[in-house]
Amino acid sequence: MPRPPSSSGGARRERCRCGRTVLRQLVGNRAALAVTADADELTAAAAAMLREPNRLDWCVRTSAGGPDLQWADCHRRKAECTRPHVIDHQCTAPPGTGAHAHGRGRGRGGRHPRTTSVPEGQLTLDA
């Protein structure tokens, strides 16, 4: 039985606010995980050395549409994986930088913070 296509059609190359090139993709077919990984390709062994409990590595399959990130389940095999791997990105930009920190690109709010007519801490329903 053929394998279903990836949920997102491959990774997008983007520039992070820290200046590094990253790959962004939803990985998985059912409960997809939003992945942001460094674009620098590593061997499976080098990626495994950088892996931590909250920093995963990803197997990179190259298709006609570009890179496609997949779960790196190749660690369970005894033979070394021959595909390149990438590691989750750890941003080094200081907090509060980038477009979202200044309110740009966030809908109707523009540059002004959103204010409400209820006391702080009280929940409201948006229409």
Side-chain angles (χ1 to χ4, degrees), residues 64-100:
D68 184 28
L69 304 181
Q70 299 178 339
W71 288 97
D73 58 359
C74 53
H75 301 296
R76 293 183 230 156
R77 291 186 235 140
K78 294 185 189 230
E80 178 73 20
C81 181
T82 58
R83 288 185 182 161
H85 284 233
V86 293
I87 190 86
D88 279 339
H89 177 65
Q90 289 182 328
C91 188
T92 57
T97 61
H100 293 296

Side-chain angles (χ1 to χ4, degrees), residues 16-90:
C16 179
R17 62 186 177 160
C18 66
R20 293 200 59 184
T21 301
V22 295
L23 299 174
R24 292 187 194 264
Q25 179 182 335
L26 285 174
V27 177
N29 292 319
R30 289 201 173 101
L33 181 64
V35 174
T36 302
D38 292 336
D40 306 326
E41 294 182 351
L42 306 166
T43 64
M49 300 262 310
L50 295 173
R51 189 175 53 233
E52 298 172 0
N54 291 320
R55 190 177 192 203
L56 303 175
D57 63 313
W58 304 93
C59 197
V60 181
R61 181 176 60 99
T62 304
S63 65
D68 184 28
L69 304 181
Q70 299 178 339
W71 288 97
D73 58 359
C74 53
H75 301 296
R76 293 183 230 156
R77 291 186 235 140
K78 294 185 189 230
E80 178 73 20
C81 181
T82 58
R83 288 185 182 161
H85 284 233
V86 293
I87 190 86
D88 279 339
H89 177 65
Q90 289 182 328

